[in-house]
Amino acid sequence: AVLFMRAGFEVEPEMVRGRSLRLAVEGWLGSAGLAMGAAGLLVLLGAFPAPGWSWLALALSTTAMGVVQPLLRDRGGLPAGYAQALVSSAGVGEVLPTILLSLVVARADQIANQVLMILAFSGLCALLLGLAIHYRHRWEDFLERTMHDSAQLPIRLAMGLLVLMVVIGNLVQINLVLGALVTGVLLRYGTNASQSQALADRLDGLGSGFLIPLFFINSGMRLDFSALGSQPLTILWIPLVALAMLLVRGAPIWWLQRFSLPPRARLALALDCGTQLPLVVAIAMLALQRSVLSSSQATALVAGAMVTVMLFPALAARQLRSSEQA
């Protein structure tokens, strides 16, 4: 949750509007079509069972916004429009699959109710955003008085809001990603530039310094490689899954940005958008609980996503350095 709250906090309002947002949505729709085809191919090859087709397609269409978006601060010297394209594409690649995941999890006779819950949750988020903007001056005054106190009350309130949004999301059966992203956006809209930096520094210490590494440790602990030992052929599917993730998410973005970014930057953007993990973990674990995937298949899916996290951002950074030198 802290991972995605930090990602939402980094989103500038101008990054998720206009042409950039339109291209991000078009790119995800293209990814959705490719994901269905890639999932069908993996099922035909025997890597995953037919009942897991929709779950697999959903996993392939995600992007790890919480992983790649914070890297923008560390890279520096990015091509014009790169950060905006990545934030928009990664955001859409998190939010839309999260909403669809709640519909996949719901039983057939509950889909209508689930749609209503999603709409109600969206209305609540819009209301909270309006309140954050309307009472921004009061929140700014409060931060000015308490930000540097030893009690760190603003951070406590931020974490309390995060817990509240995650609980509400859980009640309406929406993955915590959406509630956490909204929390970050609310905090960003309620602060000015100087206060945002101070708040970001403290959230970085709490998140990147402690809680977020625990998420990746936990993700590694969820991998049941003993199950892969009994089915060695399953290990061969791991690089194929990672390649499918790159093609499904990266190819549409690479094509749509052909008039906006230089070639190496487009390749870097495709690699960043192909980076996946948090939602893939959630999808794989839910599919495992419902006996849609076996333990070895869920492990292969998550392991493929972990390969993307280990390789794709580093390769993207190399492409961006080459683009800057050129």
Side-chain angles (χ1 to χ4, degrees), residues 225-301:
F225 278 100
S226 60
L228 293 181
S230 60
Q231 302 179 29
L233 184 61
T234 307
I235 299 177
L236 300 178
W237 300 122
I238 295 175
L240 188 59
V241 168
L243 179 60
M245 290 174 172
L246 174 60
L247 293 177
V248 166
R249 284 299 288 139
I253 299 299
W254 177 84
W255 174 255
L256 289 172
Q257 294 290 337
R258 64 191 183 279
F259 301 121
S260 305
L261 295 172
R264 289 187 179 274
R266 286 167 58 204
L267 180 56
L269 183 62
L271 287 162
D272 276 339
C273 289
T275 302
Q276 307 182 14
L277 185 60
L279 266 182
V280 175
V281 172
I283 292 168
M285 294 305 108
L286 287 171
L288 180 61
Q289 292 171 8
R290 286 161 173 74
S291 300
V292 177
L293 297 179
S294 67
S295 180
S296 62
Q297 291 163 345
T299 297
L301 182 59

Side-chain angles (χ1 to χ4, degrees), residues 74-79 262 264-265 268 316-326:
D74 301 330
R75 288 172 175 171
L78 295 172
R264 289 187 179 274
R318 178 174 297 182
Q319 293 297 319
L320 289 170
R321 286 194 298 268
S322 299
S323 178
E324 184 179 0
Q325 293 170 359

